[in-house]
Amino acid sequence: MLIDSHCHLDYFNKPGEQADIIGRAVEAGIEEMVTIGVTLKQSQEILAIAERFENIWACVGVHPNHAADVLPVVEPEILARLAAHPKVIGIGESGLDYFYDNAPKDVQELNFRANIRAARLAGLPICIHARDADADIARILREERAGGHFEFLLHCFSSTRQLAEEAMELGGYFSFSGILTFPKSESVREIAAIVPEDRILVETDSPYLAPVPYRGKRNEPAYTAHTAAKLAEVRGLSPEALADLTTRNFRTLFKKAAQ
Ligand SMILES: [Zn+2]
């Protein structure tokens, strides 16, 4: 079995659509999924999805693109309180995004640090979104780690070798998405080949970033299998071994989802 460690089920919002999508995923061997919050409001709303479907977990947090939607930035205590819900297994997604640049850099940093504090308060890992901001991500991770331990996952890994090495040094986890299957993603595949075996996970980030052969179409959790097949190839593992490995890593990182 595989686990989709990062998807946005709240974006599948036509009547009955979530049940269909989750059903197709289970048929394809993706037995559990994590639906991710990007604003405080959505983080509250996705709890209903996790409550409705037994095999759905949730993460709660504020995405950098939404860091300035509501100011001042989110209070760590509020996120930590939401995270006490039995189906919430992590904080996020949060981080920095200088590509879209929807919020000023200083506000993104305050928001990222608030999400990290929530992770520390809740004793849960944080799921990190990093886009065109690798040096600042590494700096903030180092500074915040000095203030107290927290586990982290670089979701949808597509960053530089430099950030990969810093994250490996800090004992971070790496999740690979459909980007891994794109012809031009040679550098992502190089990193996917060298990350320690006990640090790798898979995800879709659906509805975005569908893997080959669905590239350009709407993504869904069932397609995790295509990314996993590519990761298995890159690592020289059988699909079964890769599935076992990523599922074990998922449960090690997201302790609340351990069974
Ligand atoms: Zn996402």
Side-chain angles (χ1 to χ4, degrees):
M1 77 172 257
L2 286 163
I3 299 176
D4 182 355
S5 71
H6 189 118
C7 60
H8 298 274
L9 293 175
D10 54 326
Y11 294 142
F12 300 94
N13 52 16
K14 295 200 194 95
E17 201 175 17
Q18 286 165 2
D20 287 350
I21 294 269
I22 293 166
R24 280 204 291 275
V26 171
E27 261 170 52
I30 292 75
E31 290 179 15
E32 296 174 35
M33 291 139 252
V34 188
T35 193
I36 308 285
V38 294
T39 66
L40 183 58
K41 186 165 172 283
Q42 276 172 283
S43 293
Q44 288 157 335
E45 289 165 358
I46 59 170
L47 298 183
I49 305 174
E51 282 164 7
R52 184 161 161 229
F53 300 98
E54 195 234 331
N55 56 345
I56 305 300
W57 305 101
C59 286
V60 296
V62 180
H63 190 291
N65 291 350
H66 294 286
D69 289 6
V70 181
L71 291 172
V73 298
V74 68
E75 282 175 44
E77 291 75 15
I78 292 178
L79 282 180
R81 227 173 292 139
L82 268 185
H85 187 288
K87 298 299 289 287
V88 175
I89 59 172
I91 300 293
E93 60 184 299
S94 194
L96 302 174
D97 191 323
Y98 297 167
F99 178 80
Y100 283 111
D101 208 17
N102 283 357
K105 285 182 181 174
D106 58 331
V107 176
Q108 291 195 36
E109 177 161 346
L110 284 174
N111 175 63
F112 184 26
R113 288 185 189 273
N115 278 261
I116 291 174
R117 282 182 199 129
R120 239 193 253 117
L121 281 173
L124 296 177
I126 180 166
C127 168
I128 296 177
H129 172 104
R131 189 146 185 211
D132 288 358
D134 288 8
D136 284 348
I137 293 272
R139 172 179 57 83
I140 293 167
L141 283 176
R142 273 195 310 270
E143 288 173 6
E144 289 288 338
R145 265 295 183 81
H149 189 78
F150 59 94
E151 300 278 1
F152 67 91
L153 170 68
L154 294 175
H155 114 82
C156 194
F157 187 85
S158 53
S159 298
T160 56
R161 179 88 175 220
Q162 172 116 27
L163 180 59
E165 278 168 9
E166 298 246 23
M168 283 189 258
E169 228 166 87
L170 293 170
Y173 287 74
F174 298 73
S175 178
F176 295 95
S177 68
I179 291 177
L180 189 76
T181 68
F182 298 171
K184 284 191 181 145
S185 298
E186 207 41 65
S187 65
V188 177
R189 284 188 288 276
E190 277 168 23
I191 292 162
I194 59 160
V195 170
E197 184 170 272
D198 60 351
R199 303 279 150 178
I200 53 176
L201 283 78
V202 284
E203 65 170 81
T204 55
D205 204 11
S206 51
Y208 312 111
L209 292 169
V212 172
Y214 302 106
R215 191 173 182 184
K217 303 218 165 70
R218 188 178 73 165
N219 199 2
E220 59 177 77
Y223 301 164
T224 309
H226 296 274
T227 297
K230 177 56 80 177
L231 188 55
E233 181 193 314
V234 165
R235 304 282 306 197
L237 293 170
S238 69
E240 296 74 25
L242 191 277
D244 286 350
L245 182 67
T246 53
T247 296
R248 195 160 62 235
N249 294 343
F250 175 86
R251 298 211 196 282
T252 305
L253 174 63
F254 293 106
K255 292 189 176 58
K256 266 173 88 176
Q259 286 171 343

